[in-house]
Each structure stands twice: as C-alpha cells, then as structure tokens.
C-alpha cells in the first residue's frame, strides 16, 4: 500500500527512446464463440470459408491473428461490423477469454510470457498497470454516478496509490489535458455530454501512464465537431506521452488521421496490413478496395 | 408476588431440558459449525459459508453469534452476553437464559471471568486474554455489499483483491464531506489480504482487533457466514496516507457514574433538564470502575 507521489506525477515525463523491440506481440490469436464441434476445432485461414461453422453454428470471431505493436506507434484496425475488430481488443484487454493464442508485453515482467495464460489476479494487475481502454460506450468505461475525479482515482487505487492529495492533483492534470474545466472535476460524468464523457474516459484510461492504450470506436456516435476534438486530443496524447495505441474503427477517415499502420480485418482474418497511406492509396485486397472506394 | 428469582426458577422447571442436546444444537450441527470456524481461523478475514440452523430466536437477532457460542460451549465454560455494551438488555438476557437452560453452564457479567463472550456492536473495554473467545453477531458480513450488490461479483473481487470500488466510496466521502463519514462497521484489512466487515462495532473498538490476545469469531446467521480474526493478526482500518483513521473523540467528557475518561461513552439526553449527559457504554466496565473508586 505504499506509494510515491513524486513517481505518480513524474512518470508522465519519462524519457521516451525509440525502441526496435515491439511493445506488444500477438501471435495466433483466435477466439471462438459457441461450443464448437469436430468440424470447427481449428480456425481455417481460408478467406472463402466463412467464420461460422455450418454444422454447429459456432463462430471464429478472430482467426489466427498475429501482429506487433511498437512503442509510441498507433495501429489502426478497420473492417466492417462483425469482422472481429472489437473482439480483438476485448481479448487484448481480457474482457473476453481468448480461445487460443499468445500475447506478450515487453514492459511487463519477463517480457516473453504468454499473458493469456496468467491468473485472473495477474490479468487484473496487467490491465491496471500497463493498459488503458476506451470503450465506444462511456457507460462501460465509467461509473456514471461517481465524480469524474473519482473515476480517475479508481484506476489509481487499482495501481496502489492511496494519497488523496496526489490523486486529486493527478486527476486535475489529466482532466485539464482533456479540456474538462477544473470546476467540474467532482461532477459525475452522467451530467456531461457524450463528447465530454468520452474525454473523461480517455483521461481515466491514461491515469496510470499505461504504455498501451486500446481505443474501440471512440468517436462513433459523436457529432463531427466533437469527433474532431477527440481525435485531436488522441493525437496530442500520442505525441506528448508516446503511448502506443490500437485504434479500432470502421471509419477510414479516423484511421487515416490517426494510424501509422493499419490492419484490415474481414471475417476474423487479417486480409491486408501495411502503412496506412499505402493501404488507402493503393489497396491490394479486393475487400480493402471496396472499403476505400465506398469512402465518401 | 413472586420475585424475579422465583419466576426464573419456575420457568426453568417447565423447560424440559432432557428433550434437548447439551447446548441446544445436535452434535452434528455443532461439529459442522466448529469445522467451519476452524477454516475461518485458518484464513483470517475470509467469509466461510455454513449451514445456518433454525434457532429459537429470529434471524437477524443474533442467530449467527448464538450458533457459534453453542457450538463452542463445554461444560466448564462461563458465558457472558452483551448487547451494545449492556449485560441486562432484553436481547442479552434472553440469549443468556436460553444458553443457561439448555446447557446448565455458568454465566457471568464479569468480563474477566468469562471464557466465551458473545457480543453485539461492542467489544468490552477490558482487554481480553488469550484464553477468552469473543463471538460477535454480524448483520451484514460482506463489506463490499454497499458497493456491489451481487454475491457472485463480490466473491470474485475478494479472490482477486479487487478493492478499488471500496476505496472509491471512501474517496467520494472525502470529496463530498471532507472526511470519511463511516461510523460503525468501519471496513478493515485483515492480514494484508481480505477486507472485512468488523460487525457494527464503533471505530473505537476497531483497533482492539489488531494484534489482540484473544480469538474473535464472527457469525452471520441470516447471511450464513462465519469468519474470524485469530490472535496476533494484523487488522488495519482502511485509510488514506493523508487522511488517517480516527476513532470517536470524547474529549473533555466523562462517565456520569464512574467518571471514566477513557471509555466509549453513550449519550443520554435528559429532556427535563434539557441537557446531554454521558455514561459508559460497557456497563460491566463501568460497575468495575465504580467499585474500584468505592
């Protein structure tokens, strides 16, 4: 229960050095919904074959996904609804149990151990110390009736900080960063507009200075000017804090603005990946071409 | 007119003790409760589920504590029963009489003479010794119930030591009121592992659980849970580094009977005189102090 208040504040200014070792390594991640049967024991990599088993109706929502994420990088994940984008980030954040696969994070413990095999207690520790998550629906990420500063504090308690003064200081800093007026820091998010709630959620996710931030459709459902603000905020955070992010969106505009690299998912498979510009300017896969061409 | 003593004796005669096993419960039940108590002692602060029996008093009136007491009693034991510090309130008297009649053991009001002390809402002022067992009645054994309604969730939270929701309520209290407003039943961290509800004892008594010489057993009859604090266990009230835990303050006040200035005091409002006076909540302690003064 000890805590170092100087630590808490100074962590943000930690020197960032370009690092060639990936922060996050995911290998062969697959997730099946449903009981499964002998016909769908293994996820196929065949694009022609759908993700749904024709015998038992089970669905491989993610099929054998492998990718790396480097420190400070933003990885975009696009695809139509049902392509497995959200399931992917939920698996990474341990919201969903992964069926098979490996994940390691270089800033956690021995760097190479498979985090999907950790105990529930350790998974909670990882979530609270090295990850942040922003859901599409602020209801999932925030406690609506509790003060905004309290929402941030909750994440700090989980990381063993128990000094009210420095917790409030940290909450004030974070809320200021996302442009929530300080006078409203003790107001519950339920009093706020959708865009403000989303910004509170982002500041909560950032509370412990996680090296990895997962963003699931953060701007969906917000009006355009608010969308622009939130996107701006995310870019600023990335530039200032050098947080690595996985940005999930069905909106290519969002991906174009944020992501350095992009993966295109379809029926649980990665059909194309590469530099964002490359994918948007010169899509190779027919499905990506379709996506890019349907962009208004 | 019969005296109270005679009434009691008449009552005793009409009660057919032979129909009952020693100390009311059957041996199988006692054994189950003792087994669960042992498990509770082995995992300090962990709530062990037990098969709470139907008792001749209503659930919520101390059935958990009573079952613990009855399962522990041997023929050599001496029992003391207190209700909010009081030896002679209706509840305390009824429970004491039930135990007397179904077991024939001795009861006492002297804290030092009792081998088992069943209590509600108070821990005696007198420091308990290693050969005494304190049994506390518990209405709500789950400290997280205020922040999470589902038992399924609270069990997971305990298993994973996920206590941020509990801390959050304390934080909110500080933000709203400037201090932690919880009075009785102040949550404690037991042996650096489980957050535990110490039953609705005042903050004043919470510190008596830390590194105590005696064993404390907690019984919740309605909620069917037993938990324990073995002797010499660390019991820390939850506190922030900059908002330390504080007990009730009776600065400048003293008991109107014994003049004690370092005991937990009850407020008594004298309507006629329009004043508030204070007296010891622990009646046995108060009597002892009065006798010492003479």
């Amino acid at each position: 229960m000890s805590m170092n208040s100087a630590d808490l504040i100074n962590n943000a200014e930690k020197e960032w050095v370009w690092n060639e070792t990936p922060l996050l390594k995911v290998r062969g991640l697959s997730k099946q919904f449903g009981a499964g049967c002998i016909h769908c024991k293994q996820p196929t990599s065949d694009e022609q074959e759908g993700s749904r088993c024709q015998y038992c109706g089970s669905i491989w929502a993610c099929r054998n996904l492998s990718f790396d994420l480097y420190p400070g990088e933003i990885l975009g994940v696009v695809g139509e609804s049902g392509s497995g984008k959200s399931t992917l980030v939920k698996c990474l954040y341990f919201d969903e149990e992964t069926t098979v696969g490996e994940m390691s994070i270089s800033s956690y413990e021995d760097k190479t151990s498979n985090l999907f095999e950790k105990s529930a207690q350790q998974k909670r520790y990882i979530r609270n110390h090295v990850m942040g998550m922003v859901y599409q629906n602020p209801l999932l990420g925030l406690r609506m009736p509790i003060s905004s500063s309290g929402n941030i504090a909750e994440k700090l308690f989980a990381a063993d900080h128990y000094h009210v003064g420095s917790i409030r200081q940290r909450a004030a800093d974070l809320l200021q960063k996302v442009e929530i007026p300080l006078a409203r820091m003790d107001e519950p998010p339920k009093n706020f507009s959708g865009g403000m709630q989303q910004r509170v959620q982002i500041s909560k996710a950032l509370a412990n200075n996680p090296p990895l931030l997962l963003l699931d459709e953060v701007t969906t459902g917000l009006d355009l000017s608010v969308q622009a603000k939130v996107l701006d905020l995310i870019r600023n955070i990335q530039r200032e804090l050098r947080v690595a992010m996985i940005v999930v969106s069905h909106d290519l505009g969002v991906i174009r603005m944020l992501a350095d690299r992009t993966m295109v998912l379809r029926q649980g498979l990665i059909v194309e990946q590469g530099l964002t510009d490359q994918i948007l300017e010169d899509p190779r896969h027919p499905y990506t071409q379709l996506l890019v061409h349907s962009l208004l | 007119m019969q005296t109270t003593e005679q009434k009691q004796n008449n009552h005793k005669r009409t009660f057919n003790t032979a129909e009952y096993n020693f100390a009311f419960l059957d041996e199988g039940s006692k054994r189950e409760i003792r087994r669960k108590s042992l498990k509770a002692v082995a995992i300090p602060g962990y709530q062990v589920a037990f098969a709470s029996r139907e008792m001749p008093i209503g659930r919520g009136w101390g059935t958990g504590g009573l079952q613990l007491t009855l399962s522990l009693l041997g023929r050599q034991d001496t029992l003391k029963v207190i209700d909010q510090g009081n030896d002679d309130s209706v509840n305390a008297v009824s429970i004491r009489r039930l135990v007397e009649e179904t077991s024939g053991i001795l009861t006492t009001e002297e804290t030092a003479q009792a081998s088992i002390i069943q209590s509600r809402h108070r821990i005696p002022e007198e420091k308990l010794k290693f050969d005494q067992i304190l049994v506390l009645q518990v209405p709500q054994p789950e400290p997280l119930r205020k922040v999470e309604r589902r038992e399924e969730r609270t069990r997971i939270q305990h298993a994973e030591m996920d206590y941020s929701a509990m801390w959050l309520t304390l934080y909110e209290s500080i933000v709203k009121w400037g201090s932690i407003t919880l009075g009785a039943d102040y949550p404690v961290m037991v042996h650096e592992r489980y957050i535990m509800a110490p039953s609705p004892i005042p903050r004043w008594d919470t510190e008596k659980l830390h590194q105590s010489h005696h064993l404390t057993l907690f019984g919740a009859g309605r909620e069917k849970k037993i938990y324990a604090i073995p002797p010499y266990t660390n019991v820390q009230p939850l506190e922030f580094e900059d908002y330390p835990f504080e007990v009730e303050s009776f600065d400048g006040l003293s008991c109107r009977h014994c003049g004690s200035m370092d005991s937990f005091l009850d407020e008594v409002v004298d309507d006629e005189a329009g004043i508030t006076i204070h007296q010891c909540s622990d009646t046995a302690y108060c009597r002892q102090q009065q006798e010492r003064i003479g």
Side-chain angles (χ1 to χ4, degrees), chain A residues 96-119:
Chain A
E96 291 278 0
E97 193 148 342
T98 310
T99 314
V100 270
E102 286 174 29
M103 166 165 80
S104 59
I105 292 179
S106 68
S107 62
Y108 177 70
E109 269 184 357
D110 50 355
K111 297 174 170 37
T112 52
S113 60
N114 182 8
L115 304 184
F116 290 136
E117 282 169 3
K118 298 282 181 193
S119 70

Short mmCIF file of all heavy atoms in Angstrom, two decimals, chain A residues 96-119:
data_model
loop_
_atom_site.label_atom_id
_atom_site.label_comp_id
_atom_site.label_asym_id
_atom_site.label_seq_id
_atom_site.Cartn_x
_atom_site.Cartn_y
_atom_site.Cartn_z
N GLU A 96 -12.73 -10.50 -22.89
CA GLU A 96 -13.18 -11.79 -23.42
C GLU A 96 -12.03 -12.76 -23.22
O GLU A 96 -10.86 -12.39 -23.33
CB GLU A 96 -13.47 -11.68 -24.92
CG GLU A 96 -14.67 -10.84 -25.27
CD GLU A 96 -15.98 -11.59 -25.14
OE1 GLU A 96 -15.94 -12.78 -24.77
OE2 GLU A 96 -17.03 -10.97 -25.40
N GLU A 97 -12.38 -14.00 -22.96
CA GLU A 97 -11.34 -15.01 -22.83
C GLU A 97 -10.92 -15.48 -24.22
O GLU A 97 -11.76 -15.81 -25.05
CB GLU A 97 -11.85 -16.18 -22.01
CG GLU A 97 -10.71 -17.08 -21.59
CD GLU A 97 -10.98 -17.72 -20.24
OE1 GLU A 97 -11.84 -17.23 -19.49
OE2 GLU A 97 -10.32 -18.72 -19.95
N THR A 98 -9.62 -15.47 -24.46
CA THR A 98 -9.10 -15.89 -25.76
C THR A 98 -9.12 -17.41 -25.86
O THR A 98 -8.79 -18.10 -24.91
CB THR A 98 -7.66 -15.39 -25.92
OG1 THR A 98 -7.65 -14.00 -25.60
CG2 THR A 98 -7.16 -15.57 -27.33
N THR A 99 -9.54 -17.94 -27.02
CA THR A 99 -9.59 -19.39 -27.17
C THR A 99 -8.19 -19.98 -27.34
O THR A 99 -7.80 -20.87 -26.61
CB THR A 99 -10.47 -19.77 -28.39
OG1 THR A 99 -11.68 -19.01 -28.33
CG2 THR A 99 -10.81 -21.25 -28.37
N VAL A 100 -7.44 -19.48 -28.30
CA VAL A 100 -6.01 -19.85 -28.40
C VAL A 100 -5.22 -18.59 -28.75
O VAL A 100 -5.77 -17.61 -29.24
CB VAL A 100 -5.71 -20.90 -29.51
CG1 VAL A 100 -5.80 -22.30 -28.98
CG2 VAL A 100 -6.58 -20.70 -30.72
N GLY A 101 -3.94 -18.64 -28.53
CA GLY A 101 -3.10 -17.52 -28.91
C GLY A 101 -2.15 -17.11 -27.81
O GLY A 101 -2.24 -17.58 -26.68
N GLU A 102 -1.23 -16.24 -28.18
CA GLU A 102 -0.24 -15.76 -27.23
C GLU A 102 -0.14 -14.24 -27.32
O GLU A 102 -0.31 -13.66 -28.38
CB GLU A 102 1.14 -16.34 -27.56
CG GLU A 102 1.29 -17.79 -27.20
CD GLU A 102 2.62 -18.34 -27.67
OE1 GLU A 102 3.59 -17.56 -27.77
OE2 GLU A 102 2.67 -19.55 -27.97
N MET A 103 0.12 -13.65 -26.16
CA MET A 103 0.35 -12.20 -26.14
C MET A 103 1.46 -11.93 -25.15
O MET A 103 1.48 -12.51 -24.06
CB MET A 103 -0.92 -11.47 -25.72
CG MET A 103 -0.67 -10.01 -25.35
SD MET A 103 -2.17 -9.02 -25.26
CE MET A 103 -2.78 -9.48 -23.67
N SER A 104 2.39 -11.08 -25.50
CA SER A 104 3.38 -10.65 -24.52
C SER A 104 3.57 -9.15 -24.63
O SER A 104 3.38 -8.56 -25.70
CB SER A 104 4.70 -11.38 -24.73
OG SER A 104 5.17 -11.13 -26.04
N ILE A 105 3.89 -8.54 -23.51
CA ILE A 105 4.14 -7.10 -23.47
C ILE A 105 5.53 -6.88 -22.92
O ILE A 105 5.87 -7.41 -21.86
CB ILE A 105 3.08 -6.40 -22.60
CG1 ILE A 105 1.71 -6.48 -23.27
CG2 ILE A 105 3.45 -4.95 -22.35
CD1 ILE A 105 0.59 -5.85 -22.50
N SER A 106 6.34 -6.12 -23.64
CA SER A 106 7.76 -6.04 -23.27
C SER A 106 7.99 -5.29 -21.97
O SER A 106 9.00 -5.47 -21.32
CB SER A 106 8.55 -5.38 -24.40
OG SER A 106 8.16 -4.03 -24.49
N SER A 107 7.02 -4.46 -21.55
CA SER A 107 7.26 -3.71 -20.32
C SER A 107 6.72 -4.46 -19.10
O SER A 107 6.74 -3.95 -18.00
CB SER A 107 6.62 -2.33 -20.40
OG SER A 107 5.23 -2.46 -20.54
N TYR A 108 6.22 -5.68 -19.32
CA TYR A 108 5.67 -6.41 -18.18
C TYR A 108 6.51 -7.64 -17.87
O TYR A 108 6.75 -8.49 -18.73
CB TYR A 108 4.23 -6.84 -18.45
CG TYR A 108 3.63 -7.65 -17.34
CD1 TYR A 108 3.34 -7.04 -16.12
CD2 TYR A 108 3.41 -9.00 -17.47
CE1 TYR A 108 2.81 -7.78 -15.08
CE2 TYR A 108 2.88 -9.74 -16.44
CZ TYR A 108 2.58 -9.13 -15.23
OH TYR A 108 2.07 -9.85 -14.20
N GLU A 109 6.97 -7.71 -16.65
CA GLU A 109 7.69 -8.87 -16.11
C GLU A 109 8.78 -9.40 -17.04
O GLU A 109 9.65 -8.67 -17.47
CB GLU A 109 6.69 -9.98 -15.76
CG GLU A 109 6.21 -9.87 -14.33
CD GLU A 109 5.30 -11.01 -13.93
OE1 GLU A 109 4.99 -11.86 -14.77
OE2 GLU A 109 4.90 -11.04 -12.76
N ASP A 110 8.67 -10.69 -17.41
CA ASP A 110 9.77 -11.32 -18.14
C ASP A 110 9.68 -11.10 -19.65
O ASP A 110 10.38 -11.74 -20.42
CB ASP A 110 9.84 -12.82 -17.81
CG ASP A 110 8.48 -13.47 -17.94
OD1 ASP A 110 7.51 -12.74 -18.20
OD2 ASP A 110 8.38 -14.70 -17.80
N LYS A 111 8.81 -10.20 -20.09
CA LYS A 111 8.73 -9.78 -21.49
C LYS A 111 8.17 -10.82 -22.45
O LYS A 111 7.64 -10.48 -23.49
CB LYS A 111 10.11 -9.35 -22.02
CG LYS A 111 10.70 -8.15 -21.31
CD LYS A 111 12.11 -7.91 -21.81
CE LYS A 111 12.73 -6.62 -21.37
NZ LYS A 111 12.48 -6.13 -20.06
N THR A 112 8.37 -12.09 -22.16
CA THR A 112 8.01 -13.09 -23.17
C THR A 112 6.87 -14.00 -22.76
O THR A 112 6.33 -14.71 -23.60
CB THR A 112 9.23 -13.98 -23.50
OG1 THR A 112 9.76 -14.47 -22.27
CG2 THR A 112 10.29 -13.21 -24.27
N SER A 113 6.50 -14.01 -21.47
CA SER A 113 5.49 -14.98 -21.05
C SER A 113 4.13 -14.66 -21.69
O SER A 113 3.81 -13.51 -21.96
CB SER A 113 5.35 -14.98 -19.53
OG SER A 113 4.97 -13.70 -19.09
N ASN A 114 3.35 -15.70 -21.90
CA ASN A 114 2.04 -15.55 -22.53
C ASN A 114 1.03 -15.01 -21.53
O ASN A 114 0.63 -15.71 -20.60
CB ASN A 114 1.59 -16.90 -23.09
CG ASN A 114 0.25 -16.77 -23.80
OD1 ASN A 114 -0.25 -15.67 -24.00
ND2 ASN A 114 -0.30 -17.90 -24.20
N LEU A 115 0.60 -13.77 -21.76
CA LEU A 115 -0.28 -13.13 -20.79
C LEU A 115 -1.67 -13.74 -20.75
O LEU A 115 -2.38 -13.62 -19.76
CB LEU A 115 -0.38 -11.63 -21.07
CG LEU A 115 0.95 -10.88 -21.12
CD1 LEU A 115 0.70 -9.40 -21.30
CD2 LEU A 115 1.76 -11.11 -19.86
N PHE A 116 -2.08 -14.40 -21.83
CA PHE A 116 -3.41 -15.01 -21.84
C PHE A 116 -3.50 -16.18 -20.85
O PHE A 116 -4.57 -16.60 -20.47
CB PHE A 116 -3.76 -15.53 -23.24
CG PHE A 116 -4.01 -14.43 -24.23
CD1 PHE A 116 -3.48 -14.49 -25.51
CD2 PHE A 116 -4.79 -13.34 -23.88
CE1 PHE A 116 -3.72 -13.47 -26.43
CE2 PHE A 116 -5.02 -12.31 -24.80
CZ PHE A 116 -4.48 -12.38 -26.07
N GLU A 117 -2.33 -16.71 -20.45
CA GLU A 117 -2.34 -17.85 -19.54
C GLU A 117 -2.22 -17.43 -18.08
O GLU A 117 -2.18 -18.28 -17.19
CB GLU A 117 -1.19 -18.79 -19.89
CG GLU A 117 -1.50 -19.66 -21.10
CD GLU A 117 -0.29 -20.40 -21.62
OE1 GLU A 117 0.80 -20.30 -21.01
OE2 GLU A 117 -0.42 -21.07 -22.65
N LYS A 118 -2.13 -16.13 -17.81
CA LYS A 118 -1.97 -15.67 -16.43
C LYS A 118 -3.26 -15.89 -15.65
O LYS A 118 -4.34 -16.04 -16.22
CB LYS A 118 -1.61 -14.18 -16.42
CG LYS A 118 -0.30 -13.85 -17.10
CD LYS A 118 0.86 -14.20 -16.22
CE LYS A 118 2.18 -13.84 -16.91
NZ LYS A 118 3.32 -14.42 -16.23
N SER A 119 -3.13 -15.85 -14.32
CA SER A 119 -4.31 -15.98 -13.46
C SER A 119 -5.15 -14.70 -13.55
O SER A 119 -4.67 -13.66 -13.99
CB SER A 119 -3.89 -16.19 -12.01
OG SER A 119 -3.33 -15.01 -11.51
#
